[in-house]
Amino acid sequence: MAKTLLDKLWQAHRIASAGGGRDLIHIDRILLHDLSGARALAEVAEKGHSVPHPELVFATPDHGVSTAPGRTAETFPAGALGVAMLREGARRHGIRLFDLGEDGHGIVHVMAPELGLALPGLSIICGDSHTCTQGGLGALAFGVGSSELAHALATQTLRLAKPRAMRVRCDGRFVRGTTAKDVVLAAIGRFGAGSGAGCAIEWAGEAVVALPVEARLTLCNLSIEMGARIGFIAPDETVFAWIAGRDFAPRGAAWDEAVTAWRALRSDEEALFDLDLSLDISTIGPQVTWGTSPEHVIAVDRPIPSPDQAPDATQREAWAAALAYQGLEPGRPLEGIRVDWVFIGSCTNARLSDLREAAAIVAGRTVDPRVTAWVVPGSERVKRAAEAEGLDRIFRDAGFSWREPGCSLCVAANGEAVPPGARCLSTSNRNFIGRQGRGARTHLASPATAAASAIAGRIVDIRKPF
Amino acid sequence: MQRFDRVTGPAAPLLRPNIDTDVIIRAERLVGTPKEAMGRYAFEVWRFRPDGSEDPEFVLNRPPFRGAPILLAGPNFGCGSSREAAVWAIAGLGIRAVIAPSFSDIFAANCLQNGLLPVVLPQEVVRRLACQVEADPDHARITVDLAAQAVVGPDGTAHGFAIDPDRREALLLGLDDIGLTLRQAEEIAAWQEQDRRRRPWVWLGAAAR
């Protein structure tokens, strides 16, 4: 019978039935960060379990750490405990930790692909919902809570129900100014923030195949904002070339053997999906969110919707509340609205290609004096590579703050926050109430839109001169 | 894990769609707050005003629903971050079951690890239950019966719900998954032995670095 890529990935990790409707699934890589990872290690210790395969576990502190230049784990004192617990747990179990300032450190979903810890066909978990990012390499990667994380540390498995297979086919050609971020935001707007619940999304179609690897990671990163814990793209030669030679990627004969196996990781032609959706890329312009859910998104030049247009009464109420929180009136476009902050960073959009895209717009210009603008590179390697090609100079000369790697203003768990009432154009993934700080108003967009908006001091349609 | 058998009491209606785990528990509370203290900060952006005083309008502050053991929620409840503290925060308010048309996958999995029961019922049913509760907030009671796999509304109508039989058993007995899986340790080891030959590149160790 024809199989989907999900069928193949699931089968490759299924050890046995776990009773009920669940399977016992092998976990090939466990990634730990300073919030959930530290908690899970503590839980393993409390329950007296061991970690049988520390060689498959990797740790890095990213959430509760300051990104101020020259930071240490203690710069944000409240986060120091999590980092200390992560370091201590890693040392006790012989887990490799990539610490602050070290080569390899970074936001977990940026550093894992970068180091070759994430590979096609691997099952990868982290106590972090954006683990689905790594599905961009063709991995079965997903977020879990700290109890499931502890379970995996103690057993190298999880007891899971197989999700339903959803395919989102993206066809057509990218129009100028549209990026992978815009496409996935548009998909969430079209299908809804809960449309992928219970599913693994396979992103497919000619527009996806044409994407470079870093853009694929961005696309898969927002699968969770569509409700899907898992999102992936069938790995191809583009991915293999990108992975070759990375620190933990196989070498020599093992590499050849791996690539042969990875080439089979694609849905069969005749495979049937539980849900099969499609999206015409050629109709999608730059997207910006207006509300407090990623599904509250429109093209930057379209009018902000009125609650009267909402599909039902509860949505009407939710839209009205979102507009009130955001301080917006329906009817006018987002384009032109003043911004106070701009954040270029996060596991969504802080890889080298994102910074290049933003720097190309910023070069030779200056940030509007009323705007506070930050660039937080996704990892130590991204930071060093960007500095080697002078991107830091471009950003700093323009008036951006050039910072140390970490999650920073995406989740505001490290003492860094957008002030109450301030409006932030952000390349991150969530515009939830208070996500970037109490009372902060977030608009999600691509790095290009964010960079241009920092210069203009207002939300910009990058297809037009500004 | 706390056992779940049957719970009867007031049910607080909070039907807004897509309530995310950042609203349930703020990220800054994840740093340094013990599990048991998370309830204090549950839904804090809605329970408290900016000056720190309680907002009497918010449903969980209204007398009939304060301390209610059941929450009636909207679709895609618990979306967003995987933080398990969202479950600890809700449980910390004394809530034992959440009834919604759909849940985020990670949130639902986290609930089941902590004895908080996520019950999926059709949207119309959840709305009807909320209407009945709002019609007589001081007296309306809902029962969530896991053994019977049914929710009994204030009007006495029973609504059956589905749950994985294995999960149901674990909740009824308060069993922890790790213990169950460790019983399959030999099976896991045998599978891993084969996998080392099948997919050698997965197995980092002496050979790598």
Side-chain angles (χ1 to χ4, degrees):
Chain A
M1 210 179 97
K3 288 181 170 151
T4 63
L5 176 50
L6 174 66
D7 293 329
K8 294 179 185 182
L9 291 170
W10 200 261
Q11 193 55 41
H13 296 92
R14 186 180 177 277
I15 296 170
S17 167
R22 291 189 292 169
D23 290 325
L24 190 63
I25 292 294
H26 192 261
I27 302 302
D28 302 331
R29 297 282 181 273
I30 301 173
L31 305 171
L32 306 174
H33 66 57
D34 51 311
L35 294 185
S36 57
R39 287 253 186 206
L41 285 168
E43 193 176 324
V44 166
E46 275 164 32
K47 292 185 173 166
H49 297 300
S50 61
V51 176
H53 292 288
E55 76 281 9
L56 304 181
V57 186
F58 296 86
T60 199
D62 56 4
H63 278 63
V65 295
S66 164
T67 61
R71 60 96 189 272
T72 66
E74 287 73 37
T75 306
F76 174 56
L81 176 66
V83 179
M85 281 166 68
L86 189 68
R87 285 174 179 161
E88 160 57 20
R91 195 195 49 74
R92 186 161 13 97
H93 295 289
I95 292 166
R96 177 76 184 268
L97 172 91
F98 293 90
D99 214 337
L100 302 178
E102 276 178 16
D103 178 38
H105 169 262
I107 303 175
V108 62
H109 314 305
V110 177
M111 58 75 87
E114 193 176 79
L115 291 170
L117 294 172
L119 297 171
L122 296 194
S123 56
I124 305 169
I125 63 161
C126 177
D128 194 289
S129 61
H130 289 109
T131 309
C132 55
T133 309
Q134 303 177 41
L137 301 178
L140 184 73
F142 53 96
V144 295
S146 42
S147 293
E148 285 193 319
L149 194 54
H151 183 284
L153 284 167
T155 68
Q156 209 59 39
T157 67
L158 282 177
R159 306 169 79 86
L160 295 171
K162 187 180 171 188
R164 292 184 302 159
M166 174 191 273
R167 176 166 61 183
V168 181
R169 293 170 52 115
C170 303
D171 293 311
R173 295 171 71 94
F174 275 87
V175 296
R176 194 177 61 83
T178 301
T179 67
K181 176 69 163 288
D182 301 296
V183 168
V184 65
L185 283 173
I188 297 162
R190 179 89 47 93
F191 305 125
S195 59
C199 297
I201 301 178
E202 178 174 349
W203 298 94
E206 56 181 359
V208 172
V209 173
L211 289 175
V213 169
E214 295 193 357
R216 296 183 190 195
L217 296 169
T218 300
L219 184 63
C220 288
N221 173 272
L222 270 85
S223 303
I224 184 69
E225 308 320 329
M226 215 166 111
R229 190 180 190 177
I230 300 171
F232 47 66
I233 296 169
D236 58 10
E237 301 306 318
T238 307
V239 168
F240 309 148
W242 190 86
I243 289 171
R246 293 189 182 264
D247 306 59
F248 291 88
R251 290 170 203 283
W255 169 260
D256 296 336
E257 195 184 349
V259 170
T260 305
W262 295 341
R263 288 200 174 112
L265 294 175
R266 50 185 55 255
S267 291
D268 296 334
E269 284 291 332
E270 310 76 33
L272 292 175
F273 290 78
D274 298 301
L275 289 136
D276 211 349
L277 308 175
S278 67
L279 205 59
D280 178 5
I281 302 303
S282 59
T283 61
I284 296 171
Q287 305 283 306
V288 179
T289 59
W290 56 266
T292 55
S293 161
E295 73 178 21
H296 297 157
V297 65
I298 48 173
V300 64
D301 59 342
R302 302 297 303 148
I304 297 168
S306 159
D308 298 335
Q309 297 162 250
D312 60 43
T314 28
Q315 284 283 9
R316 189 152 54 240
E317 203 181 307
W319 286 20
L323 288 171
Y325 180 83
Q326 293 283 69
L328 294 173
E329 294 290 334
R332 63 157 301 175
L334 288 164
E335 182 185 359
I337 288 174
R338 290 256 313 115
V339 297
D340 308 300
W341 281 66
V342 168
F343 172 59
I344 299 176
S346 86
C347 58
T348 311
N349 279 129
R351 285 169 281 269
L352 188 60
S353 55
D354 299 312
L355 303 193
R356 282 179 180 158
E357 200 176 294
I361 286 168
V362 168
R365 293 164 141 146
T366 47
V367 170
D368 183 284
R370 294 169 299 185
V371 174
T372 306
W374 286 17
V375 182
V376 179
S379 71
E380 190 63 33
R381 283 194 185 173
V382 168
K383 179 176 176 240
R384 291 179 191 179
E387 288 175 350
E389 50 186 81
L391 303 187
D392 61 320
R393 257 263 93 92
I394 292 174
F395 286 119
R396 281 202 302 243
D397 287 351
F400 278 86
S401 168
W402 175 255
R403 304 177 69 87
E404 300 290 343
C407 301
S408 185
L409 291 178
C410 174
V411 59
N414 67 340
E416 293 165 0
V418 173
R423 192 175 300 287
C424 181
L425 210 295
S426 178
T427 67
S428 55
N429 40 57
R430 288 183 175 142
N431 52 345
F432 298 157
I433 291 170
R435 172 81 177 183
Q436 294 196 289
R438 285 169 190 274
R441 294 162 168 169
T442 302
H443 296 274
L444 304 175
S446 71
T449 297
S453 302
I455 304 299
R458 56 187 166 73
I459 298 176
V460 163
D461 182 344
I462 48 165
R463 294 167 299 188
K464 302 174 188 167
F466 62 93
Chain B
M1 188 173 77
Q2 196 182 358
R3 285 184 184 190
F4 190 103
D5 178 9
R6 198 181 128 112
V7 164
T8 298
L14 185 59
L15 300 192
R16 189 186 286 195
N18 302 320
I19 290 180
D20 60 76
T21 53
D22 274 83
V23 161
I24 298 171
I25 186 82
R26 293 182 52 70
E28 67 203 57
R29 302 300 183 193
L30 305 181
V31 192
T33 311
K35 222 182 206 183
E36 306 70 38
M38 288 290 176
R40 206 179 295 161
Y41 305 116
F43 298 102
E44 68 175 296
V45 294
W46 290 341
R47 273 169 68 217
F48 304 103
R49 296 184 178 121
D51 68 3
S53 65
E54 272 195 11
D55 180 350
E57 299 292 311
F58 183 59
V59 63
L60 295 173
N61 289 335
R62 286 165 53 195
F65 303 123
R66 184 185 286 273
I70 299 165
L71 185 68
L72 294 169
N76 201 25
F77 186 78
C79 62
S81 160
S82 61
R83 60 190 68 169
E84 199 158 320
V87 171
W88 304 332
I90 290 175
L93 290 177
I95 294 170
R96 297 293 327 276
V98 184
I99 303 173
S102 59
F103 291 90
S104 114
D105 298 338
I106 303 177
F107 178 81
N110 288 340
C111 283
L112 294 166
Q113 296 291 334
N114 291 277
L116 178 68
L117 182 64
V119 178
V120 176
L121 286 180
Q123 186 147 13
E124 320 77 82
V125 175
V126 180
R127 278 199 193 134
R128 207 177 318 138
L129 290 170
C131 285
Q132 290 172 18
V133 163
E134 290 283 16
D136 186 7
D138 292 327
H139 303 99
R141 296 288 179 270
I142 288 180
T143 294
V144 179
D145 188 336
L146 180 59
Q149 283 184 234
V151 170
V152 182
D155 65 352
T157 310
H159 308 275
F161 63 87
I163 183 167
D164 182 298
D166 188 46
R167 294 289 209 184
R168 177 171 164 274
E169 185 79 358
L171 282 163
L172 287 169
L173 301 173
L175 290 181
D176 170 320
D177 265 356
I178 298 183
L180 285 175
T181 301
L182 288 174
R183 289 192 208 153
Q184 287 174 280
E186 277 181 30
E187 216 169 342
I188 295 169
W191 187 93
Q192 288 178 327
E193 232 8 78
Q194 284 184 2
D195 195 57
R196 283 176 193 273
R197 290 192 292 275
R198 200 167 43 218
R199 301 184 305 155
W201 60 89
V202 173
W203 294 89
L204 303 170
R209 312 267 290 185

